[in-house]
Amino acid sequence: MIKVGIIGATGYAGQSLIWLLSQHSGATIDFMCSHNNTDIAFSQTYPSYEGFIQDKCIDIHSSLKRLPYIDLLFIALPHGKSFDIVEKALEAKAKVVDLGADFRLYNPDVYKLWYELDHLATKHLKTSVYGLPELHKPEISKANLVANPGCYPTASILAIAPLLANSIINPSSVIIDAKSGVSGAGRSANISTLLCECNESIKAYGVGSHRHTPEIEQELSRVAGEELAISFTPHLVPMNRGILATCYGNMAKKIELKELYKIYEEFYKDQHFVRIIDSIPETRWVKGTNLCDIALRIDNRTNRIIVISAIDNLIKGAAGQAVQNMNILFGLNEAQGLKLIAMTP
Amino acid sequence: MIKVGIIGATGYAGQSLIWLLSQHSGATIDFMCSHNNTDIAFSQTYPSYEGFIQDKCIDIHSSLKRLPYIDLLFIALPHGKSFDIVEKALEAKAKVVDLGADFRLYNPDVYKLWYELDHLATKHLKTSVYGLPELHKPEISKANLVANPGCYPTASILAIAPLLANSIINPSSVIIDAKSGVSGAGRSANISTLLCECNESIKAYGVGSHRHTPEIEQELSRVAGEELAISFTPHLVPMNRGILATCYGNMAKKIELKELYKIYEEFYKDQHFVRIIDSIPETRWVKGTNLCDIALRIDNRTNRIIVISAIDNLIKGAAGQAVQNMNILFGLNEAQGLKLIAMTP
Amino acid sequence: MIKVGIIGATGYAGQSLIWLLSQHSGATIDFMCSHNNTDIAFSQTYPSYEGFIQDKCIDIHSSLKRLPYIDLLFIALPHGKSFDIVEKALEAKAKVVDLGADFRLYNPDVYKLWYELDHLATKHLKTSVYGLPELHKPEISKANLVANPGCYPTASILAIAPLLANSIINPSSVIIDAKSGVSGAGRSANISTLLCECNESIKAYGVGSHRHTPEIEQELSRVAGEELAISFTPHLVPMNRGILATCYGNMAKKIELKELYKIYEEFYKDQHFVRIIDSIPETRWVKGTNLCDIALRIDNRTNRIIVISAIDNLIKGAAGQAVQNMNILFGLNEAQGLKLIAMTP
Amino acid sequence: MIKVGIIGATGYAGQSLIWLLSQHSGATIDFMCSHNNTDIAFSQTYPSYEGFIQDKCIDIHSSLKRLPYIDLLFIALPHGKSFDIVEKALEAKAKVVDLGADFRLYNPDVYKLWYELDHLATKHLKTSVYGLPELHKPEISKANLVANPGCYPTASILAIAPLLANSIINPSSVIIDAKSGVSGAGRSANISTLLCECNESIKAYGVGSHRHTPEIEQELSRVAGEELAISFTPHLVPMNRGILATCYGNMAKKIELKELYKIYEEFYKDQHFVRIIDSIPETRWVKGTNLCDIALRIDNRTNRIIVISAIDNLIKGAAGQAVQNMNILFGLNEAQGLKLIAMTP
């Protein structure tokens, strides 16, 4: 039984982690830490857990004292808040899956450029592993610190990687137009994410400047074997959950749709959570699951390939992928506790 | 392993049944029958099942031929469509859980009055059991035909029964003001349930005439030990799932809130799925679960008790209760496959 | 041309007022005051006004200095914030329409009981008029201070008043089950009104304790000619705007539906904004308008009358009614600037 | 007073036309024609009009008889249904604004290719004018037949035209990723647009094959002075109204953002309905209006320009533009009846 601690337990990602772990037979929660809800029963913040979880959330000091007694620490905090905690957890011989952004970019200058913060734990950048299992499972299995990918990067990288790995598109032509539900903005009191401000409207935001851009570029550059820059435009959609990424690339060589599908199926043939599908993905079909649905289209009129991917931003884009990484870190079946079918409607 | 067949598999209730049975270790699906999607892979209608369910839906004729080989038939059809199928299933020695309305009302005259149809299988009315396990578990466990309750009645009866059983309110004073998500209207092509017709609006409907009224009255009358009539007003809320019932009754005697809570806790003390809670229920905390959350309030200014209950109309209000009844019918743990925590947000 | 000032201009009610006044040919806005958005262009907070309104919001001190130069002050502030401002406006000979709660309850003890605040301007309670024009137009026309009704009370009182005025129901039997869109909670940063917390869920709140209760009772008692207490339960519906009130009363005498309709049509025959309709109201049909739709049903089985009313909480329930009161105060046509048809879908 | 007839009056576009014409002082509705709601009061289909419009919808035969008595016929029908009606209207000397697709593509072969129908009124293609006033006002003012643009093309062409007119981007690099509310799918009974099928999900559709593609290409080719092909991907967003188009183009020459803004401001300087804005557009700020909001961004990292535009698909994307065209056709002020500010929230 893997003993885990969770820091940031009452945010949407943290809570999703608890939801998944409640259904996982191989892990047990040692503590839940919440800054805003310390000493309050978790089920008071989330009444859905009434009758399932009796425990209260504890504060960060009590949490740090528990580090020696756990096997794995999940951190679900805003960027810039994990440096110190990771340090202490690793010292205490706990493995770490950080759902935040602090250890995803291997180059601290890139981190500083996009996050406008000095990286305060650069030594761990050398050993941290970017936790996208579909690309880095062997490294994850040996890691102590896993940087769980961002939600947009998960959907984007999985959609584009096979194209670049097979030199099918021009690396400088990648455009990712992504759409997310509002839970991606987190559970904090902001006017901009009030129901009345988001409902019945759609907008783009962070055009050309969103912090998930360098993360996507880092991983796609690795796959392509060359440095590339992408256009990435996130949008806010009036719904709770889900990310749809519509990705465009100019074909470097002619290819038939059938062949393209084969390449994707081959690329992901050993993966539990990538479904290469014929029909165009809709986020509802992966809601509440760790799946990434991907469909392919070739537009011969414009010589472009369009790849569309869909994930649940809180599961495959956060907590589910974190559990997937936990499974890998501790030698469990990668899909344990994650064989979920989307609930509809 | 219980072998089940499902008629009406691609409606919202039928699909929810398949969703639950996919997570149930004690049952296996022998066939899925769909009038509108015959010979089409179930996962084509519901792509969420891609990779999980390969089977096609079959037609009613092929389904009827399978009756001798199954243990249990679930029927999820509109009212008036079950008479003949129930007949044949019982002949074939399959037990039946009918999610439709045809066997809920014991008095065929009441059925005719509200449904404007002659009841064509009255002989089975004598042995059918109203499948609300919190009231009728012993009878269900011995039944061959279980009439699975309607969604509104489930939320309403569970909310009101303890008041009447304990003569706390005047039986003629019951008013139930209920609110439902749009999935309650089913998955058929209608202008009135288009997103653009329901979204950003709320309405009442079927005021004084909704067909769930006699069902609530039948059960509450049994509990009260006298014939009663209720006011029941359903409303359509712009959301997919969930029912909230706000119930009013005039106090027949003074009572303290604490004592009232004790009565409810006592009444439901052996039940798996009723949570008597302090905070006022919200449908999101029971979404996707078989739970019924109930909170109590006393308004001394007006001498009224207000009981608020919340369920998921497709789970506790349909498919979940059907699985609960299956568990009881076949001697499994009543909660098997149903220990679900609501996914939020 | 009526010169008006608006305090609380960037809240939802204040902004709705500006939206309506922008379409009103008889009034001009002298100043807009916003605590949170001082010295910021109004169109920066609400980009919809780009190209229409160039002005910045000013602070309260500058606003008070403008009082001598305006004819009418609209105040759209939370309760407890208007006492002093009303005092100064009346001194400066400006008329006041207060969209807040501070001058709606004539009895300061009732105010204190429900709002848990001492009333600090009791002398104006004697001259203030409850601004529901359908009941108090003559007094409004002569008033200096109009207390604009709450949103729930507007829908509720208009629905019930004719029944009590004609002694058709038992005054102690009134139950109002009301449902509101989220804009009723205002435009402030709260977790509880985030899209992810409200969407796909419905809840009751303030059961037996909502502050609109005494306001409804005050007005209905006046109509009934006797003190009465009501049950009032508000609910939060996942939509931006709209209130639906489902109202129940026990018949004091038998009456036919046709006759009941006649009574309502007679009661409201001179009113511009009350539509007595056959079909059951839906909030979408009055969205963005100053209308109140009302339908009637008699349930002979339970001896009850059910009245259903629908308004837009921000128009007839706030800003529209305020403009209607302005029109009456200054002798304009009561409907000027308010002949609006709901935009659908 | 312009006398108009409307064919397709109870669809969403037709109804929006009636909504706008109800607020227009220069036009009067002679007849409303509806196939599905013949001989039914318009206010029965749309109760929002109760008290405003008493008339019934008439059938097509009665409508054709009225052609000699009207000045202008609006047609809001699916493609392929206008050929004959346009013929008869022009014979009867009525001008026509066709909101459908039949006269937008000047090349009947292109029409056949995309719509899979023979064009049955090719002779009128020579005189019909593509009714995007921002590009074709002079021609519109002299036309008898105006082909009102599609919703996606309106948002897309307005966003891209200045770039191509000024040779700022490579014409073959245009990618348009567009997002629409569900009303774009029309008011017909389809499972795919039920609330429960669209809500809480986003999807792409018609990837590489949407019929608005050739319309955008036709107009952008004219502006560019060369034949071009675009990538156009529409998406369905869970909301009633609004289109957001996120448009990408590769810079053909370096340009500063300031200069780019100047070019757009110059291009649209005489237009009533295009707002070139700094902040990124959101559909809510143009909802219910004839405005098109456009913002510009330069991504120097990828050498791309990103233009984002927002319209209301039913107003600027359909009925509002039709009224704008009416105003131009009859020499009224182009903005008459269209000076609308978005209602929020």
Side-chain angles (χ1 to χ4, degrees):
Chain A
M1 207 63 152
I2 309 162
K3 287 180 74 172
V4 312
I6 298 161
I7 294 180
T10 56
Y12 290 140
Q15 184 271 137
S16 297
L17 208 39
I18 292 165
W19 185 72
L20 287 169
L21 292 170
S22 300
Q23 310 173 51
H24 196 290
S25 56
T28 180
I29 298 172
D30 185 84
F31 67 84
M32 301 174 294
C33 171
S34 168
H35 182 66
N36 295 319
N37 300 284
T38 300
D39 287 335
I40 294 175
F42 183 72
S43 65
Q44 194 168 329
T45 308
Y46 288 101
S48 41
Y49 292 85
E50 182 75 38
F52 295 95
I53 292 184
Q54 319 288 349
D55 299 331
K56 291 184 176 185
C57 290
I58 63 174
D59 66 15
I60 184 68
H61 301 290
S62 314
S63 300
L64 295 177
K65 284 187 199 149
R66 296 294 309 159
L67 291 178
Y69 309 103
I70 62 173
D71 302 305
L72 174 62
L73 181 69
F74 290 108
I75 309 174
L77 294 177
H79 70 269
K81 305 288 184 192
S82 299
F83 302 134
D84 194 44
I85 300 169
V86 163
E87 186 76 39
K88 284 175 178 147
L90 293 177
E91 270 170 26
K93 304 292 181 201
K95 288 181 185 263
V96 177
V97 173
D98 183 8
L99 286 79
D102 289 346
F103 295 90
R104 293 178 193 153
L105 299 173
Y106 296 132
N107 185 338
D109 297 338
V110 175
Y111 182 86
K112 184 163 185 183
L113 184 67
W114 289 83
Y115 287 90
E116 296 166 329
L117 267 187
D118 282 316
H119 197 288
L120 302 179
T122 53
K123 73 168 175 174
H124 296 301
L125 289 179
K126 280 156 206 145
T127 55
S128 76
V129 174
Y130 189 77
L132 190 64
E134 288 74 12
L135 296 188
H136 304 299
K137 200 177 312 179
E139 304 92 301
I140 294 166
S141 69
K142 292 171 258 166
N144 288 316
L145 169 56
V146 174
N148 212 56
C151 50
Y152 286 124
T154 297
S156 303
I157 297 163
L158 292 175
I160 299 286
L163 291 179
L164 292 172
N166 290 278
S167 304
I168 296 166
I169 58 166
N170 177 342
S172 72
S173 72
V174 174
I175 292 176
I176 299 163
D177 191 283
K179 298 91 182 168
S180 173
V182 182
S183 60
R187 188 175 177 270
S188 53
N190 275 313
I191 285 180
S192 63
T193 47
L194 294 178
L195 183 132
C196 290
E197 302 289 316
C198 300
N199 194 21
E200 291 298 296
S201 193
I202 181 168
K203 66 171 176 184
Y205 65 100
V207 179
S209 65
H210 193 279
R211 284 159 171 168
H212 283 172
T213 310
E215 193 180 328
I216 302 170
E217 289 177 345
Q218 166 183 290
E219 294 300 310
L220 290 185
S221 295
R222 287 211 264 183
V223 173
E226 62 177 276
E227 287 298 307
L228 55 78
I230 58 153
S231 287
F232 170 64
T233 313
H235 297 74
L236 196 70
V237 179
M239 59 185 193
N240 287 0
R241 307 166 79 114
I243 283 180
L244 190 83
T246 311
C247 308
Y248 303 86
N250 294 341
M251 282 192 275
K253 55 182 181 195
K254 277 284 166 200
I255 189 167
E256 293 294 310
L257 188 59
K258 220 177 215 175
E259 198 190 339
L260 190 61
Y261 263 95
K262 255 190 219 153
I263 287 169
Y264 270 72
E265 276 153 12
E266 179 65 22
F267 194 90
Y268 290 120
K269 72 165 185 271
D270 296 327
Q271 304 304 333
H272 293 82
F273 299 113
V274 179
R275 294 194 295 200
I276 309 301
I277 60 175
D278 287 334
S279 59
I280 299 178
E282 311 186 23
T283 60
R284 61 178 168 150
W285 303 127
V286 298
K287 194 166 58 169
T289 81
N290 203 46
L291 296 162
C292 177
D293 277 358
I294 297 177
L296 311 166
R297 292 294 181 271
I298 293 174
D299 186 3
N300 282 313
R301 297 172 59 257
T302 59
N303 211 37
R304 287 197 188 94
I305 289 174
I306 298 134
V307 185
I308 298 156
S309 65
I311 62 167
D312 183 317
N313 59 309
L314 293 175
I315 308 292
K316 182 60 178 169
Q321 192 142 261
V323 171
Q324 186 181 357
N325 280 318
M326 177 189 81
N327 289 342
I328 296 169
L329 281 171
F330 292 87
L332 305 184
N333 180 313
E334 188 180 341
Q336 192 173 337
L338 295 171
K339 287 165 194 156
L340 303 160
I341 303 175
M343 184 180 81
T344 54
Chain B
M1 209 62 154
I2 309 162
K3 285 180 77 171
V4 311
I6 299 161
I7 293 180
T10 56
Y12 290 142
Q15 183 270 140
S16 297
L17 207 40
I18 291 165
W19 185 72
L20 288 169
L21 291 170
S22 300
Q23 311 172 50
H24 196 290
S25 56
T28 181
I29 299 172
D30 185 83
F31 67 83
M32 303 175 293
C33 171
S34 169
H35 181 67
N36 294 318
N37 301 282
T38 300
D39 286 334
I40 295 174
F42 184 72
S43 65
Q44 195 169 327
T45 308
Y46 288 101
S48 42
Y49 291 85
E50 181 76 38
F52 294 95
I53 292 185
Q54 318 289 349
D55 298 333
K56 292 184 177 183
C57 289
I58 62 173
D59 67 16
I60 185 66
H61 300 291
S62 313
S63 299
L64 295 178
K65 286 187 198 147
R66 295 296 309 160
L67 290 178
Y69 308 103
I70 61 172
D71 302 305
L72 174 62
L73 181 69
F74 290 108
I75 308 173
L77 294 177
H79 69 269
K81 306 287 184 191
S82 299
F83 301 134
D84 192 43
I85 300 169
V86 163
E87 187 75 39
K88 287 176 176 145
L90 293 177
E91 269 170 26
K93 304 292 181 200
K95 288 179 185 263
V96 176
V97 174
D98 183 9
L99 286 80
D102 289 345
F103 294 90
R104 295 178 192 153
L105 299 174
Y106 296 131
N107 184 338
D109 297 338
V110 175
Y111 182 87
K112 183 164 186 184
L113 183 66
W114 288 84
Y115 288 89
E116 294 165 329
L117 268 185
D118 282 317
H119 198 290
L120 302 180
T122 51
K123 72 168 175 174
H124 296 299
L125 288 179
K126 279 155 206 148
T127 56
S128 77
V129 174
Y130 189 78
L132 190 66
E134 289 74 14
L135 295 188
H136 304 301
K137 200 177 314 179
E139 302 91 303
I140 294 167
S141 68
K142 290 171 262 166
N144 287 317
L145 169 57
V146 174
N148 213 56
C151 50
Y152 285 124
T154 296
S156 304
I157 296 163
L158 292 175
I160 300 285
L163 292 179
L164 292 172
N166 290 278
S167 305
I168 296 167
I169 58 166
N170 178 343
S172 73
S173 72
V174 174
I175 292 176
I176 299 163
D177 191 284
K179 297 91 181 166
S180 173
V182 182
S183 61
R187 186 174 179 269
S188 53
N190 275 313
I191 285 180
S192 64
T193 48
L194 294 179
L195 183 132
C196 290
E197 302 290 314
C198 300
N199 194 23
E200 291 297 294
S201 192
I202 182 168
K203 66 171 176 183
Y205 66 100
V207 180
S209 64
H210 193 280
R211 285 161 172 166
H212 284 173
T213 309
E215 193 180 329
I216 302 171
E217 289 177 347
Q218 166 183 292
E219 293 301 309
L220 291 184
S221 295
R222 286 211 263 182
V223 174
E226 61 178 275
E227 288 297 308
L228 54 77
I230 58 154
S231 287
F232 170 64
T233 314
H235 297 75
L236 195 70
V237 179
M239 59 186 194
N240 287 359
R241 304 166 79 113
I243 283 180
L244 191 83
T246 311
C247 309
Y248 303 85
N250 294 342
M251 283 194 274
K253 55 182 178 194
K254 278 283 166 201
I255 189 167
E256 293 295 309
L257 188 59
K258 221 179 215 172
E259 198 190 336
L260 191 61
Y261 263 95
K262 253 190 222 154
I263 287 169
Y264 270 72
E265 279 152 10
E266 180 64 22
F267 194 90
Y268 290 120
K269 73 165 186 269
D270 297 326
Q271 304 305 332
H272 293 83
F273 299 113
V274 179
R275 295 194 296 200
I276 309 301
I277 60 175
D278 287 334
S279 59
I280 299 177
E282 312 185 23
T283 57
R284 61 178 168 150
W285 305 128
V286 297
K287 194 165 57 169
T289 81
N290 202 47
L291 295 161
C292 177
D293 278 358
I294 297 177
L296 310 166
R297 294 293 183 270
I298 292 174
D299 186 4
N300 283 312
R301 298 172 57 258
T302 59
N303 211 37
R304 288 198 186 95
I305 289 175
I306 297 133
V307 185
I308 298 157
S309 65
I311 63 165
D312 183 317
N313 58 309
L314 292 176
I315 309 291
K316 183 60 177 169
Q321 191 140 265
V323 170
Q324 185 180 357
N325 280 319
M326 176 189 80
N327 289 341
I328 296 169
L329 281 171
F330 290 88
L332 306 184
N333 180 314
E334 188 181 340
Q336 191 173 335
L338 295 171
K339 288 166 194 156
L340 303 160
I341 303 174
M343 185 180 80
T344 54
Chain C
M1 207 63 153
I2 308 164
K3 286 180 76 173
V4 311
I6 299 161
I7 293 180
T10 57
Y12 290 141
Q15 184 269 138
S16 297
L17 208 38
I18 291 165
W19 185 71
L20 288 170
L21 292 171
S22 300
Q23 309 173 51
H24 196 291
S25 56
T28 180
I29 299 172
D30 185 84
F31 67 84
M32 302 175 292
C33 171
S34 168
H35 182 66
N36 294 319
N37 300 285
T38 300
D39 286 335
I40 294 174
F42 184 72
S43 66
Q44 195 169 329
T45 309
Y46 287 102
S48 42
Y49 292 85
E50 181 75 37
F52 295 95
I53 292 184
Q54 318 289 348
D55 298 332
K56 292 183 175 185
C57 289
I58 63 174
D59 67 16
I60 184 69
H61 300 291
S62 313
S63 299
L64 295 177
K65 284 189 198 146
R66 295 294 311 158
L67 292 178
Y69 308 104
I70 61 172
D71 302 305
L72 173 63
L73 182 69
F74 290 107
I75 309 175
L77 295 176
H79 70 268
K81 305 288 184 192
S82 300
F83 301 135
D84 194 43
I85 299 170
V86 163
E87 186 75 40
K88 285 176 177 145
L90 293 177
E91 270 171 25
K93 306 290 183 203
K95 288 179 184 266
V96 176
V97 173
D98 183 8
L99 285 80
D102 290 346
F103 294 91
R104 293 178 194 155
L105 299 173
Y106 296 131
N107 184 338
D109 297 338
V110 176
Y111 181 87
K112 184 165 187 183
L113 184 67
W114 289 82
Y115 287 89
E116 294 165 328
L117 268 185
D118 283 316
H119 199 288
L120 302 179
T122 51
K123 74 168 174 173
H124 296 301
L125 288 179
K126 280 157 207 145
T127 55
S128 76
V129 174
Y130 188 78
L132 191 65
E134 287 75 14
L135 295 188
H136 303 300
K137 200 176 313 180
E139 303 91 301
I140 294 167
S141 68
K142 289 172 260 164
N144 287 317
L145 169 56
V146 174
N148 212 58
C151 50
Y152 286 123
T154 296
S156 304
I157 297 163
L158 292 176
I160 299 285
L163 290 179
L164 292 171
N166 291 277
S167 305
I168 296 167
I169 59 166
N170 176 342
S172 74
S173 72
V174 174
I175 292 177
I176 299 163
D177 192 284
K179 298 91 181 166
S180 173
V182 182
S183 61
R187 187 174 178 270
S188 52
N190 276 312
I191 285 180
S192 64
T193 47
L194 294 178
L195 182 132
C196 290
E197 302 289 317
C198 300
N199 195 21
E200 289 298 294
S201 192
I202 180 167
K203 67 172 176 184
Y205 66 100
V207 180
S209 64
H210 193 280
R211 285 162 171 164
H212 283 173
T213 310
E215 192 180 327
I216 301 170
E217 289 177 347
Q218 166 183 289
E219 293 301 310
L220 291 185
S221 294
R222 286 211 263 182
V223 173
E226 62 177 275
E227 287 297 308
L228 55 79
I230 58 154
S231 287
F232 170 65
T233 313
H235 297 76
L236 195 69
V237 179
M239 59 183 194
N240 288 0
R241 307 166 79 114
I243 284 180
L244 191 82
T246 312
C247 308
Y248 303 85
N250 294 342
M251 283 192 274
K253 56 181 180 198
K254 280 283 168 200
I255 188 168
E256 293 295 310
L257 188 58
K258 220 178 216 175
E259 196 190 340
L260 191 60
Y261 264 96
K262 253 190 221 155
I263 287 169
Y264 270 72
E265 278 153 11
E266 178 65 23
F267 194 89
Y268 290 121
K269 72 165 186 266
D270 297 326
Q271 304 304 333
H272 294 81
F273 299 113
V274 179
R275 294 194 295 200
I276 308 302
I277 60 175
D278 286 333
S279 59
I280 299 178
E282 311 185 23
T283 58
R284 60 178 167 150
W285 304 128
V286 298
K287 192 164 61 168
T289 80
N290 202 48
L291 295 162
C292 178
D293 277 357
I294 297 177
L296 311 167
R297 293 293 182 271
I298 293 174
D299 186 3
N300 283 313
R301 297 173 58 256
T302 60
N303 211 35
R304 288 197 187 95
I305 288 173
I306 298 135
V307 185
I308 298 157
S309 65
I311 62 166
D312 183 316
N313 59 308
L314 292 176
I315 309 290
K316 184 59 179 171
Q321 191 141 262
V323 170
Q324 186 181 358
N325 279 318
M326 176 188 81
N327 288 342
I328 296 170
L329 281 171
F330 291 88
L332 306 184
N333 180 314
E334 188 180 343
Q336 191 173 336
L338 295 171
K339 287 166 194 155
L340 303 160
I341 303 174
M343 184 180 80
T344 54
Chain D
M1 210 62 152
I2 309 161
K3 287 181 74 171
V4 311
I6 299 162
I7 294 180
T10 57
Y12 290 142
Q15 184 269 137
S16 296
L17 208 40
I18 292 166
W19 185 72
L20 288 169
L21 292 171
S22 300
Q23 310 172 49
H24 195 292
S25 55
T28 181
I29 299 172
D30 185 83
F31 67 84
M32 302 176 294
C33 171
S34 168
H35 181 66
N36 295 318
N37 300 283
T38 300
D39 286 335
I40 295 174
F42 184 72
S43 65
Q44 194 168 329
T45 308
Y46 288 100
S48 42
Y49 292 85
E50 181 74 39
F52 294 95
I53 292 184
Q54 319 289 350
D55 298 332
K56 292 185 177 183
C57 290
I58 63 173
D59 66 16
I60 184 69
H61 301 291
S62 313
S63 299
L64 294 178
K65 285 188 199 146
R66 295 294 312 160
L67 291 178
Y69 309 103
I70 61 172
D71 302 304
L72 174 63
L73 181 69
F74 290 108
I75 308 174
L77 293 177
H79 70 269
K81 305 288 185 192
S82 299
F83 302 135
D84 193 43
I85 300 171
V86 163
E87 187 75 39
K88 285 175 178 147
L90 293 177
E91 269 170 28
K93 306 292 182 200
K95 288 177 184 266
V96 176
V97 174
D98 182 8
L99 285 80
D102 290 346
F103 293 91
R104 294 179 193 154
L105 299 173
Y106 296 132
N107 185 337
D109 297 338
V110 175
Y111 182 85
K112 183 163 187 185
L113 184 65
W114 290 83
Y115 287 90
E116 295 165 328
L117 267 188
D118 284 314
H119 198 289
L120 302 179
T122 51
K123 71 169 176 174
H124 296 301
L125 289 179
K126 280 157 206 145
T127 55
S128 78
V129 174
Y130 190 76
L132 191 65
E134 288 74 13
L135 295 187
H136 303 301
K137 200 177 314 180
E139 302 92 304
I140 295 167
S141 69
K142 289 172 261 163
N144 287 316
L145 168 57
V146 175
N148 213 56
C151 50
Y152 285 124
T154 296
S156 304
I157 298 164
L158 292 176
I160 300 284
L163 291 179
L164 292 172
N166 291 277
S167 304
I168 295 167
I169 59 166
N170 178 341
S172 73
S173 72
V174 174
I175 292 176
I176 299 162
D177 191 284
K179 298 91 181 168
S180 173
V182 182
S183 61
R187 187 174 180 270
S188 53
N190 275 312
I191 285 181
S192 64
T193 47
L194 293 179
L195 183 132
C196 289
E197 302 289 316
C198 300
N199 195 21
E200 290 299 291
S201 192
I202 180 168
K203 67 172 176 182
Y205 66 100
V207 180
S209 65
H210 193 280
R211 285 162 171 165
H212 282 173
T213 309
E215 193 180 327
I216 302 172
E217 289 177 346
Q218 167 183 291
E219 293 300 308
L220 291 184
S221 294
R222 286 212 261 181
V223 173
E226 61 179 274
E227 286 298 308
L228 55 77
I230 59 154
S231 287
F232 170 65
T233 314
H235 296 75
L236 195 70
V237 180
M239 58 185 194
N240 288 0
R241 304 167 80 115
I243 283 180
L244 191 82
T246 311
C247 308
Y248 303 86
N250 294 343
M251 283 193 273
K253 56 182 181 195
K254 279 283 165 200
I255 188 168
E256 293 295 309
L257 188 59
K258 219 177 217 173
E259 198 190 337
L260 191 60
Y261 264 97
K262 251 189 224 155
I263 287 168
Y264 269 73
E265 278 154 10
E266 179 64 23
F267 193 90
Y268 291 120
K269 71 165 187 270
D270 296 327
Q271 305 304 333
H272 292 83
F273 299 113
V274 178
R275 294 193 295 199
I276 308 301
I277 60 174
D278 287 335
S279 59
I280 300 178
E282 311 184 22
T283 58
R284 60 177 167 150
W285 305 128
V286 297
K287 193 165 58 169
T289 80
N290 203 47
L291 295 162
C292 178
D293 277 358
I294 297 177
L296 311 167
R297 292 295 183 271
I298 293 174
D299 187 3
N300 282 313
R301 297 171 60 258
T302 59
N303 211 38
R304 287 199 188 93
I305 288 173
I306 297 135
V307 185
I308 298 156
S309 64
I311 63 165
D312 183 316
N313 58 308
L314 292 177
I315 308 291
K316 182 61 179 170
Q321 191 141 263
V323 171
Q324 186 181 356
N325 280 319
M326 175 189 82
N327 289 341
I328 295 169
L329 281 172
F330 291 88
L332 306 185
N333 180 313
E334 187 180 343
Q336 192 174 336
L338 295 170
K339 287 166 192 155
L340 303 160
I341 303 174
M343 185 181 79
T344 53

